Amino acid sequence: MSQDPVTKAAGAIPRRLFTYSAGCLTQKRLRRILSLSGHDVSVGLPGPNDGVVVWGRSHYAWRGEAIAARYAVPVVRVEDAFLRSLRPGRMGDPPMGLLIDPYGVHFDAASPSLVERILAFHPLDDSNLLNRARTGLARIKALDLSKYNIHDPDLPLPPPGYVLVIDQIRGDASIPNDARFAEMLALAQEENPKARIVIKTHPETQSGLRPGHFTTTTGRISLCDQPVSPWRLLEGAVAVYTVSSQFGFEAILAGHRPVVLGQPFYAGWGLSDDRFPVDRRTRKLTRSQLFAGAMILAPTWYDPCRDRLCQIERVIDQLEAEVRAFRQDRHGYVAVATRLWKRGRLQAFFGHEKPLIFCNNPTEAIRLAHKSSRKLMVWAGKAAPDLDCVRVEDGFLRSRGLGAALVPPLSLVTDDLGIYYDPSRESRLERLVRAVTAEDAARANALRSQLIAARLSKYNLTGALPDLPDLPDLPDLPARPDLPDHALPFFPDLPHTSVRPVASDFDSLALRSAALRILVPGQVEDDASIRLGAGDVRTNLGLLQTVRAQNPSALIIYKPHPDVEAGLRPGGVLPDQMKGLADIVARNADPIALIELCDAVWTMTSLLGFEALIRGKPVTCLGAPFYAGWGLTHDLCPQPLRRQRAPDGHPLPRISLDQLIYAALIAYPRYYDPVSRRPCPPEVAIERLAIGTLPKTGLSLRLLAKLQGAFASKAHLWR
């Protein structure tokens, strides 16, 4: 096969592009993507080295085409990429990707477009590219993503076994003529004489924006005019008929061989039944190759949080965050008993579809939620165990500063089953742990590396480290075949090594001989995770006593909880009580640096134990935090049996650390980007925390947060 030069680099398209359409001037996202791609959009008349940009084959494209012909300059056509946004453009959402095409337009086979040239001439044989295609396709299907994403996965579907006929918008530029739709419906009935026919309407038709071709049905023909899941709809189909809809492309990716009555970009590659074939398309492609060309190589993708061009993987991450927020929030919430300073951020997190209604009276909130078909939202610590509600709590990568100091969070978790720190009942987090796929685990592994490199924790408070003695490297620890390598228990019989005394925060205590350095994180003693998840040991003093009793020769470093150090919450241990227990009190110290310096962590239920697991440290739990009971920690108190055994008592497969990280840091929390003010994936939140691009919180901003909360309470009146 001859190799045609296929490129979409800026050098192949004139740098300066002139437009004669108001849309190209007023659509900020379009102009931004073109600018980041190396192009300037201008008005006026083009010179010999310039070009003209038009939107596909829109009704106004003729203006630019005429100017380009007159001045003998190239026409560059721009169209939405095939994974566009949450809502259609006519509902206000800008695209997350463009096809910037110097050859033609993907839906018009009169001349080869950029997509067709890539599919025809690119080798499409690179193993990394094809692996990316397979992973990307698997993620899109698992996340139920499509070009537009306002569908509701919970809506009922027709009983399986139907023939699916795909409608499109009347007058759309991709349609050869409207008569094809009547022909398509007749053909579907003729070729499937006994099957039910289901006509799927276009999302813009379902939203009342533009009419389609079918409005009435008779006999065995029914209309699917609800925003159902496209992938689930394809699962129930025995055949698919289309003219040129992108849904035909998705049908191919879902495993169908659709009957095509037009000449869209995906026809002609051996994956569809083409009734109007394009003679020049003779190459045979696999589904992965089709995906690679159309979704990875051809589009120019844009990351709206980072404001830069990106690869499709980042677009999938971003759409995952936005679509998840839409699906969870589409019915709205009544938030009960919410503190004033939290309301602004809760409104930003959960009030985009329907502004939150805040109500201080629980009885009235329940009545209002039932009357308005909204969900009841309660801060987890205030919710009764049997209350039917969505519980909300801080996420595990929260902020740069304390919540008790009114620093707003970047992440919150929502749970419609229980809450992660209550082991007495199943939480949504526990279900998510068991649902992690291989592709999910790979992403979690990359996120883990990003976290470690950025040295991030929940609050990201930095401070000085204690002066530690010089200790030799630990000897090889005895093997424990019943535990994973990273879940080592205490070893009181380790050989001792003499160390010199160092200064401490109490009575110049001479340090013990030690070969094992144990970090003991203090906790807030009235915290819900202690009340609900601690074992017999429920105080910081009791924790220290237990650690010392079972590790008499270890060097124990105690880190008080930052809220306790700040005097905001209870849990202090007096210096006299600490004698003989902790060798060093690491006040106001960087928790990540302490984890790195220590050899093991002992805790009741502290999140620092999870942060230690992430960094490969052995963790011993005296309580039942969300990360215990999976076989990743050494547990000294009973754990929920459901974490390791099925309801019938059979053991479940052991989970990996990456599975736990994915569930806890990706699937369970919601993240909010204070820079772009939109939902975002955890990778963006990590970058914000690492780089420090966050609003600083002083007294004035804390007062402002309360003022914003007061106004947020009335948002439902004007939005």
Side-chain angles (χ1 to χ4, degrees):
M1 183 179 293
S2 62
Q3 295 298 309
D4 186 55
V6 177
T7 178
K8 62 187 180 73
I13 303 174
R15 183 187 64 81
R16 189 165 60 168
L17 300 173
F18 286 80
T19 183
Y20 307 96
S21 166
C24 288
L25 292 173
T26 58
Q27 294 183 30
K28 294 181 180 179
R29 177 67 59 80
L30 186 151
R31 291 171 61 87
R32 182 58 177 158
I33 295 176
L34 287 172
S35 174
L36 291 171
S37 301
H39 307 296
D40 294 331
V41 178
S42 304
V43 294
L45 296 176
N49 296 320
D50 300 326
V52 171
V53 61
V54 300
W55 186 264
R57 294 204 182 279
S58 68
H59 298 302
Y60 306 103
W62 66 269
R63 300 171 183 168
E65 293 168 348
I67 295 292
R70 179 177 178 182
Y71 289 91
V73 297
V75 175
V76 177
R77 300 185 189 276
V78 176
E79 269 285 343
D80 290 328
F82 305 124
L83 194 63
R84 186 191 186 278
S85 54
L86 176 61
R87 300 172 183 80
R90 281 178 171 77
M91 297 179 73
D93 279 16
M96 295 184 66
L98 295 175
L99 293 165
I100 305 172
D101 197 329
Y103 306 113
V105 64
H106 66 85
F107 54 74
D108 185 354
S111 60
S113 65
L114 170 67
V115 177
E116 180 179 334
R117 287 171 180 255
I118 290 173
L119 294 175
F121 299 111
H122 193 285
L124 297 174
D125 60 355
D126 179 78
S127 59
N128 180 61
L129 173 67
L130 296 179
N131 283 334
R132 288 179 60 202
R134 284 186 282 269
T135 300
L137 174 55
R139 287 192 65 198
I140 287 173
K141 291 173 67 176
L143 296 170
D144 208 354
L145 300 181
S146 184
K147 182 176 183 179
Y148 310 121
N149 293 280
I150 54 174
H151 49 273
D152 183 348
D154 296 331
L155 284 174
L157 295 163
Y162 47 82
V163 172
L164 188 62
V165 173
I166 304 170
D167 195 10
Q168 293 176 245
I169 298 299
R170 282 187 178 274
D172 190 82
S174 69
I175 299 173
N177 61 72
D178 287 339
R180 289 279 174 90
F181 287 85
E183 179 184 351
M184 173 175 61
L185 182 57
L187 188 65
Q189 295 178 81
E190 177 185 338
E191 296 181 346
N192 303 273
K194 296 183 178 180
R196 290 176 290 118
I197 308 294
V198 173
I199 300 174
K200 180 196 177 297
T201 58
H202 192 276
E204 291 190 11
T205 302
Q206 295 167 2
S207 300
L209 298 172
R210 292 197 289 174
H213 296 84
F214 303 105
T215 56
T216 59
T217 59
T218 58
R220 60 190 175 112
I221 303 172
S222 62
L223 202 64
C224 180
D225 57 359
Q226 295 297 307
V228 299
S229 162
W231 294 101
R232 290 182 61 212
L233 188 63
L234 287 167
E235 285 176 2
V238 296
V240 178
Y241 287 74
T242 183
V243 175
S244 58
S245 170
Q246 182 185 313
F247 202 59
F249 172 52
E250 294 175 354
I252 291 174
L253 299 180
H256 286 280
R257 183 181 175 83
V259 175
V260 182
L261 279 76
Q263 295 180 327
F265 73 92
Y266 53 83
W269 312 108
L271 297 169
S272 54
D273 182 353
D274 306 320
R275 303 302 169 91
F276 296 87
V278 182
D279 292 339
R280 65 176 180 270
R281 298 181 187 172
T282 59
R283 190 180 186 185
K284 303 302 180 185
L285 299 176
T286 66
R287 291 182 177 87
S288 296
Q289 289 174 317
L290 179 64
F291 184 95
M295 300 291 278
I296 297 178
L297 298 177
T300 299
W301 295 110
Y302 173 75
D303 184 333
C305 288
R306 299 176 176 96
D307 187 31
R308 66 190 185 202
L309 300 184
C310 65
Q311 296 180 329
I312 189 174
E313 289 84 356
R314 304 292 76 77
V315 171
I316 295 174
D317 292 346
Q318 181 63 35
L319 269 178
E320 176 185 7
E322 296 188 12
V323 170
R324 178 181 166 200
F326 166 78
R327 291 174 184 167
Q328 290 184 350
D329 304 343
R330 65 189 184 277
H331 300 301
Y333 301 97
V334 175
V336 61
T338 306
R339 291 181 181 178
L340 197 62
W341 77 272
K342 294 181 178 181
R343 295 184 180 186
R345 187 49 62 93
L346 285 177
Q347 197 71 267
F349 262 88
F350 305 111
H352 188 70
E353 298 305 317
K354 290 185 178 181
L356 272 68
I357 298 175
F358 294 95
C359 182
N360 288 327
N361 185 299
T363 303
E364 176 63 18
I366 293 172
R367 186 196 66 79
L368 186 57
H370 180 74
K371 179 181 177 181
S372 60
S373 299
R374 291 170 175 253
K375 298 177 182 178
L376 187 68
M377 174 177 282
V378 185
W379 202 261
K382 299 180 179 180
D386 58 347
L387 185 63
D388 182 14
C389 66
V390 173
R391 292 167 175 80
V392 62
E393 185 56 84
D394 286 335
F396 307 129
L397 286 171
R398 187 192 184 280
S399 54
R400 189 171 287 280
L402 301 176
L406 307 191
V407 178
L410 269 70
S411 70
L412 293 169
V413 303
T414 58
D415 202 314
D416 57 343
L417 297 177
I419 193 64
Y420 69 88
Y421 55 70
D422 182 1
S424 68
R425 58 192 299 182
E426 184 184 29
S427 68
R428 179 61 60 180
L429 173 59
E430 291 181 7
R431 289 194 184 179
L432 291 170
V433 169
R434 292 292 179 188
V436 177
T437 66
E439 292 82 9
D440 295 337
R443 181 182 175 194
N445 189 267
L447 187 79
R448 180 188 180 193
S449 298
Q450 187 182 1
L451 272 173
I452 294 172
R455 307 184 76 255
L456 294 178
S457 61
K458 181 174 183 177
Y459 297 114
N460 300 290
L461 301 170
T462 58
L465 286 176
D467 183 17
L468 290 179
D470 293 328
L471 294 176
D473 292 336
L474 277 174
D476 291 335
L477 299 180
R480 283 287 302 270
D482 58 319
L483 291 173
D485 292 341
H486 52 279
L488 299 174
F490 59 89
F491 291 94
D493 55 346
L494 285 175
H496 295 195
T497 304
S498 297
V499 298
R500 67 180 185 276
V502 297
S504 67
D505 291 347
F506 51 91
D507 293 347
S508 299
L509 178 68
L511 292 177
R512 305 169 187 274
S513 298
L516 186 68
R517 288 166 286 191
I518 298 177
L519 175 61
V520 179
Q523 294 184 242
V524 176
E525 291 180 355
D526 66 351
D527 189 75
S529 72
I530 297 293
R531 289 189 290 105
L532 300 172
D536 294 336
V537 177
R538 310 181 70 82
T539 66
N540 292 321
L541 179 59
L543 173 64
L544 284 167
Q545 290 170 337
T546 301
V547 176
R548 174 55 73 199
Q550 301 209 37
N551 298 273
S553 59
L555 175 71
I556 295 177
I557 303 172
Y558 176 65
K559 183 195 181 310
H561 191 279
D563 280 348
V564 175
E565 287 184 298
L568 302 171
R569 303 284 295 277
V573 180
L574 298 175
D576 288 345
Q577 295 175 312
M578 209 156 340
K579 288 182 178 179
L581 300 179
D583 300 298
I584 294 174
V585 179
R587 301 188 186 279
N588 301 307
D590 181 345
I592 301 306
L594 287 175
I595 290 173
E596 293 169 346
L597 285 171
C598 290
D599 305 305
V601 172
W602 280 57
T603 181
M604 291 181 286
T605 62
S606 171
L607 181 64
L608 197 143
F610 178 55
E611 293 167 346
L613 282 180
I614 289 173
R615 289 155 180 86
K617 301 291 183 175
V619 176
T620 298
C621 296
L622 279 70
F626 71 90
Y627 53 85
W630 304 101
L632 300 171
T633 54
H634 180 230
D635 303 321
L636 299 184
C637 84
Q639 301 293 324
L641 289 178
R642 63 181 178 271
R643 295 184 184 175
Q644 292 199 15
R645 292 191 176 274
D648 61 4
H650 285 82
L652 294 169
R654 175 175 288 176
I655 71 162
S656 68
L657 179 58
D658 286 334
Q659 284 178 273
L660 181 63
I661 290 172
Y662 183 88
L665 297 182
I666 299 176
Y668 192 48
R670 293 261 296 267
Y671 293 88
Y672 174 77
D673 178 19
V675 178
S676 64
R677 298 184 179 182
R678 61 193 305 143
C680 70
E683 292 85 355
V684 170
I686 289 174
E687 289 181 19
R688 299 291 188 233
L689 290 169
I691 299 172
T693 51
L694 299 171
K696 296 185 182 298
T697 305
L699 175 61
S700 60
L701 285 181
R702 292 199 294 269
L703 293 175
L704 178 61
K706 292 190 175 185
L707 183 62
Q708 289 174 335
F711 281 101
S713 305
K714 308 297 182 184
H716 63 285
L717 298 178
W718 63 76
R719 283 176 54 188

